[in-house]
Amino acid sequence: MTSDPELLWRRCARLGRVLLPLVDDGEPWRRARRHENFRVWEVDTGTGERLIEVFTALAAHAVAADAAAPAAEIDGLPLRAVADAATRKRDFELLAGLPGTFTDRRDEEAVNFFRLSAYGGGQASRRLFQLSTEIHHALTVLAERSPRPCATCGDVFRQATEAGLP
């Protein structure tokens, strides 16, 4: 049986994994612009996109933790709250309350890379700030596309299912 903290992380990680494909599906030009930003910031495209995934998961996890929301309630988290957490919370605040271990090795590696970047300071910390603006923008785009006035993580999960995303 999966514990609630593990399930919460997996749900947050799914949000991170579907974010960019959903944004790019509606406006394919965004991918090219994001990749150009990565080049300017001297961030490898694969690394940048993986960091956006885990950064989004960390922001959603922080919002859920702040609300003391169990995994079953992540669907109700407003996208705007997650977007705000990505840009308003300090990097180390996003790391609080994470599971001790991860079932997905890729998640663990990405969180560790985020952790190194957050505590490394300098250019690495600047890149995290730049990535946070990309995440905020992507989540805001999805929220604005939603027919509902207060789009939630559940709306994103439904869109991802409808789009056939894993």
Side-chain angles (χ1 to χ4, degrees):
M1 177 149 196
T2 305
S3 69
D4 196 57
E6 291 171 7
L7 182 58
L8 176 60
W9 173 256
R10 286 202 329 241
R11 298 282 290 156
C12 292
R14 181 161 191 259
L15 178 68
R17 286 186 183 100
V18 301
L19 176 66
L20 294 178
L22 286 176
V23 169
D24 293 349
D25 185 50
E27 297 167 329
W29 57 269
R30 287 192 185 278
R31 176 182 290 146
R33 189 171 86 190
R34 183 174 59 253
H35 290 183
E36 177 58 29
N37 285 342
F38 290 157
R39 280 188 286 282
V40 169
W41 300 337
E42 298 177 358
V43 174
D44 172 73
T45 300
T47 301
E49 296 211 340
R50 184 66 181 125
L51 273 172
I52 284 176
E53 287 177 12
V54 78
F55 203 144
T56 302
L58 289 167
H61 190 273
V63 171
D66 287 350
E73 294 178 15
I74 189 175
D75 287 15
L77 295 179
L79 283 184
R80 293 200 190 275
V82 177
D84 288 346
T87 54
R88 292 189 179 150
K89 286 197 173 279
R90 302 208 29 175
D91 300 337
F92 63 85
E93 290 178 294
L94 296 174
L95 295 166
L98 289 176
T101 59
F102 296 86
T103 55
D104 184 336
R105 181 174 159 86
R106 285 179 17 114
D107 286 346
E108 185 171 9
E109 290 171 354
V111 167
N112 286 338
F113 187 77
F114 182 94
R115 192 174 275 127
L116 287 171
S117 297
Y119 293 119
Q123 186 67 15
S125 193
R126 182 172 181 261
R127 285 188 185 120
L128 289 181
F129 171 75
Q130 292 163 323
L131 291 171
S132 76
T133 62
E134 287 286 326
I135 295 162
H136 189 276
H137 183 73
L139 288 166
T140 301
V141 165
L142 288 182
E144 289 172 354
R145 280 189 204 160
S146 175
R148 296 178 45 163
C150 184
T152 65
C153 292
D155 295 325
V156 172
F157 293 142
R158 281 188 288 286
Q159 289 174 18
T161 299
E162 290 168 6
L165 296 174

